[in-house]
Amino acid sequence: MRPISRFAAWATTLATAVGATVILAGGPAAAAGGYWSNSCDPGRACIKLSGGRSGPGGQIWNFDGCGYHTINDFYDYGYAHGNPFDVHYADRSSDRVQSWSNRGLDSGNRVTGVTVLC
């Protein structure tokens, strides 16, 4: 019975580590309505991954269009090269990035969504 218990404990530890990695490595790449870039493109609402990490095409996620976009990762900066947007966090707080401005975000709080206001 002990070998099974040790295996179960090891499997649980591994599953927890993999789950944490998915949350930290995941991002909006799988979400519709945007793309990775090395810059915030004209007319876009954008957020930058925290910790110097990068998506497949750069550190900055450029949103396509208005409305709510689901996100699941940590970001440290927002850029509004056009419309303002609200960044929604896991703890139910939010930050607004005003039109034609940029600002720091709560990099220790997981972003769950962004609403681009139009």
Side-chain angles (χ1 to χ4, degrees):
M1 203 73 165
R2 284 199 183 265
I4 293 172
S5 295
R6 286 183 188 157
F7 176 75
W10 174 81
T12 301
T13 302
L14 180 61
T16 302
V18 168
T21 301
V22 167
I23 287 174
L24 289 173
Y35 58 92
W36 290 108
S37 180
N38 288 316
S39 65
C40 186
D41 295 337
R44 302 287 176 172
C46 307
I47 54 178
K48 182 176 136 301
L49 280 169
S50 64
R53 297 174 301 128
S54 187
Q59 290 184 314
I60 298 173
W61 182 255
N62 284 257
F63 292 97
D64 284 335
C66 304
Y68 184 79
H69 301 267
T70 302
I71 305 295
N72 186 30
D73 209 334
F74 296 86
Y75 295 85
D76 61 10
Y77 219 78
Y79 309 87
H81 289 179
N83 295 356
F85 63 94
D86 293 326
V87 178
H88 309 284
Y89 298 105
D91 71 355
R92 299 182 188 254
S93 65
S94 64
D95 281 323
R96 174 156 296 175
V97 181
Q98 296 294 345
S99 295
W100 307 108
S101 71
N102 52 64
R103 63 166 291 174
L105 301 175
D106 184 355
S107 62
N109 201 348
R110 183 174 47 87
V111 175
T112 58
V114 168
T115 303
V116 180
L117 305 169
C118 296

